[in-house]
Amino acid sequence: MVDILCKYIRAERTGNWELHLQTVSEMLSYLAACGHNHYTKSAWIYLQRMSNLHNDHPDVYQHFREGLHVVRRSDRYWAGLSSDLIIEQVLMRSLKTSGGLTRGRGMTEQQRLTWLLSKPACADVNCAMQELTGVSYNTGEQNKDITKARQARDWKDTHKILKYLRDMNPFTSDTSLRSISTGVHAHSTVNVDKAKDVGNAILISMEGKTAAEYNFKKKDQVITLDTKNAVKVDGIAVQIDPQLLFQRLTIIAAKATENFEDVFRYELCSYPPALFDSSLLLREPQ
C-alpha cells in the first residue's frame, strides 16, 4: 500500500498519465476491502471512462499524455499538483483572504460569478504591474525537499521510526497477527492482512452491474482487529474496555501481593486519562 501511494504521488507530481491510471487501479481492491464504498464506485467508473478516452476525446487524451491532467504553478519537473489541491491552495485561499468573498463582498450567485470571471483580468493586471515595476516572481530550480532543513527533519523522523521499531519489534519469530503498538493478538477470524484478496473478490462481484444497483455488504469487507474486540456472554456481544480490564487485572495482582499499598502509588491506566477520553481520542485543550 505504501508503494502504491508513492507511485501515485510520483504520477501526480511528474504528470505521468499512465502511472496515474495504474495506481488508481491498484488502489481499487484496498478501497473496496476497507469499506470506502463511494470511492470504490467512483474510481471504478472513472477508470472505465478514462480507459476509453483515446477514442471518445483523442485531443484531451493527447493533452493528458503530455502531463496536463495536473496543474503546474512553476516549470520544475516535480511540481505537478492535483486539480482539487489547486482549488484549495489558490481558489479557496483567495476566496477567504483579503479581497475575497468572505471579507464583506457576500456570497450570492451574482457576486460569485463576478468574482470568478474577474480573475483572468486580475492576472493580466498583475503581469502588467510586474513589467512596469521591473519586479517579477520567480521560483528556483532547487527542490524544497532537498534543503538542509528538510533533510535534517527527515533524518530526525527516520531515527524516531527506528527507535520505535527497536522498542516494538515486529520482526520476530511469532507468526500470529498482532498489534505492534499494544501487543494485542488478533482473533482467528481477522483477515485484514489479506485485504487485497478480499477487495478483488468484491470487485469481481461488481462486474456487469451498474453503480446504482450494486450494494456493498459489510460481511464481505475485511475484519480488523478492532472489530473483533468483543466477546459473547450468555449469547450477548460485550465490548471489552482495555483500560477497565487492565485496572481489574492490576488490582487482582495487587491483592495477591503483600505490598498492596505500593501498587496504588502509580496511576492504574494504560493511557493518561488527564489527556485522553479514550485510547484514541484526545481531550479538548483548556
Side-chain angles (χ1 to χ4, degrees):
M1 287 186 285
V2 175
D3 289 338
I4 295 174
L5 181 59
C6 290
K7 287 192 295 184
Y8 180 78
I9 294 175
R10 178 184 176 186
E12 296 298 289
R13 301 293 277 179
T14 61
N16 191 326
W17 175 243
E18 287 78 10
L19 186 60
H20 166 80
L21 294 182
Q22 176 189 338
T23 50
V24 173
S25 176
E26 293 176 357
M27 290 178 188
L28 267 179
S29 57
Y30 295 101
L31 293 174
C34 296
H36 296 294
N37 302 334
H38 294 299
Y39 281 108
T40 304
K41 286 185 177 182
S42 300
W44 182 275
I45 297 173
Y46 172 74
L47 287 172
Q48 289 179 338
R49 298 186 66 178
M50 293 302 103
S51 62
N52 204 36
L53 187 65
H54 61 284
N55 294 326
D56 298 337
H57 303 282
D59 53 336
V60 177
Y61 173 75
Q62 186 58 37
H63 286 314
F64 282 1
R65 284 287 304 273
E66 296 172 359
L68 297 182
H69 72 285
V70 296
V71 184
R72 292 183 178 273
R73 301 179 66 181
S74 67
D75 294 332
R76 290 180 296 183
Y77 175 70
W78 192 266
L81 296 171
S82 302
S83 56
D84 60 332
L85 187 60
I86 282 292
I87 290 173
E88 291 294 333
Q89 289 185 349
V90 180
L91 184 61
M92 299 303 295
R93 182 180 180 183
S94 59
L95 186 144
K96 296 179 180 179
T97 54
S98 179
L101 294 178
T102 60
R103 298 304 179 95
R105 292 177 178 267
M107 291 289 287
T108 64
E109 183 179 1
Q110 182 178 357
Q111 290 166 327
R112 291 198 305 268
L113 289 175
T114 303
W115 185 79
L116 282 172
L117 295 175
S118 67
K119 299 305 288 183
C122 292
D124 292 337
V125 172
N126 185 21
C127 292
M129 290 298 295
Q130 290 185 20
E131 293 179 3
L132 177 65
T133 58
V135 177
S136 60
Y137 174 76
N138 297 311
T139 57
E141 294 296 326
Q142 185 181 25
N143 194 317
K144 293 182 179 180
D145 293 340
I146 62 174
T147 59
K148 291 184 177 180
R150 182 56 183 264
Q151 290 182 23
R153 191 176 72 178
D154 290 345
W155 185 248
K156 184 178 179 181
D157 293 340
T158 301
H159 277 280
K160 287 182 180 178
I161 295 174
L162 292 175
K163 182 179 181 301
Y164 181 86
L165 291 179
R166 281 196 296 267
D167 298 335
M168 309 289 187
N169 184 18
F171 308 106
T172 64
S173 57
D174 186 3
T175 58
S176 61
L177 191 63
R178 59 185 174 87
S179 169
I180 63 172
S181 60
T182 64
V184 177
H185 285 251
H187 191 270
S188 59
T189 57
V190 173
N191 62 345
V192 71
D193 56 319
K194 301 177 182 177
K196 185 175 182 179
D197 296 334
V198 174
N200 287 335
I202 296 176
L203 296 178
I204 292 174
S205 65
M206 290 176 59
E207 294 179 356
K209 300 179 182 178
T210 63
E213 68 179 5
Y214 185 82
N215 294 318
F216 293 91
K217 298 179 181 178
K218 192 172 181 62
K219 65 181 183 64
D220 296 333
Q221 301 171 8
V222 291
I223 300 174
T224 64
L225 190 148
D226 185 61
T227 56
K228 277 297 177 182
N229 192 22
V231 296
K232 286 189 176 181
V233 179
D234 297 331
I236 302 176
V238 179
Q239 195 73 18
I240 297 296
D241 184 352
Q243 181 183 5
L244 181 60
L245 182 62
F246 175 78
Q247 291 173 344
R248 289 178 175 175
L249 290 174
T250 306
I251 293 174
I252 292 174
K255 287 183 176 180
T257 64
E258 296 180 356
N259 299 324
F260 184 76
E261 294 182 358
D262 292 339
V263 176
F264 283 93
R265 293 173 55 191
Y266 304 93
E267 198 170 16
L268 302 182
C269 62
S270 53
Y271 52 85
L275 300 178
F276 291 83
D277 286 324
S278 67
S279 58
L280 300 176
L281 186 63
L282 274 167
R283 291 181 181 272
E284 292 186 1
Q286 300 294 332

